[in-house]
């Protein structure tokens, strides 16, 4: 009888340790999602700021400046529900303005344009990487949260189900070539 109780206690402790380890892993994944989201937000803000600065610098033609400024402003001011759409529209505006290498060369020839073009090229290169890191963390957390043990024992607590950030983040070809 005593041996049976000891084995039951050992089994309960083992199950408890395993569930505790799984809950800790899930918590670390949620922390990784938060950190990746903060990094993504920083890169999106940087890209919008650089685009807005470039649009107001006077080195672009007026039509391109207006298109780029409005898209960058909308991306910076977007509420969370509309953020993906606004960021996608900024990507489309960047591709429209910097679709041709001649436009990038015109920016580079202006005073201070070399630094501005380089900063924008770096910003448009970093956004897809930050989004990929965020979505990879979301994918890992979702996979773990789908396990029965996580659902049955409510190991996720009250944390919201993680959502991926889906947007058009393809950089303009002329800027992507410069960023490489």
């Amino acid at each position: 009888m005593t041996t049976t109780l000891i084995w039951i206690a050992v089994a309960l402790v083992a199950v408890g340790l395993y569930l505790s380890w799984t809950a800790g892993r899930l918590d670390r994944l949620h922390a990784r999602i938060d950190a990746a989201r903060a990094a993504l937000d920083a890169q999106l803000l940087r890209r919008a700021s650089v685009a807005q600065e470039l649009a107001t610098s006077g080195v672009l033609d007026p039509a391109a400046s207006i298109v780029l400024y409005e898209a960058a402003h909308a991306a910076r001011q977007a509420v969370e529900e509309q953020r993906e759409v606004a960021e996608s529209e900024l990507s489309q505006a960047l591709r429209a303005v910097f679709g041709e290498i001649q436009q990038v060369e015109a920016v580079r020839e202006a005073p201070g344009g070399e630094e501005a073009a380089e900063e924008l090229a770096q910003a448009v290169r970093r956004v897809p990487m930050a989004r990929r890191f965020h979505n990879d963390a979301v994918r890992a957390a979702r996979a773990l949260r789908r396990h029965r043990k996580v659902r049955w024992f409510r190991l996720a607590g009250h944390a919201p189900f993680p959502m991926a950030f889906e947007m058009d983040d393809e950089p303009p070809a002329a800027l992507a070539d410069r960023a490489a």
Side-chain angles (χ1 to χ4, degrees), residues 92-104 171-175 177:
Q92 293 167 0
L94 285 166
R95 282 197 306 274
V97 171
F98 295 106
E100 300 293 327
I101 193 72
Q102 293 84 4
Q103 186 70 21
V104 177
L175 286 176
D177 294 342

Side-chain angles (χ1 to χ4, degrees), residues 107-140:
V107 169
R108 288 179 60 207
E109 291 170 4
E114 182 67 36
E115 294 83 18
E118 185 62 33
E119 191 174 0
L120 185 60
Q122 288 177 2
V124 299
R125 186 189 72 224
R126 289 179 179 164
V127 166
M129 288 189 299
R131 189 175 75 85
R132 193 173 314 120
F133 289 142
H134 175 266
N135 288 349
D136 287 346
V138 166
R139 196 174 304 109

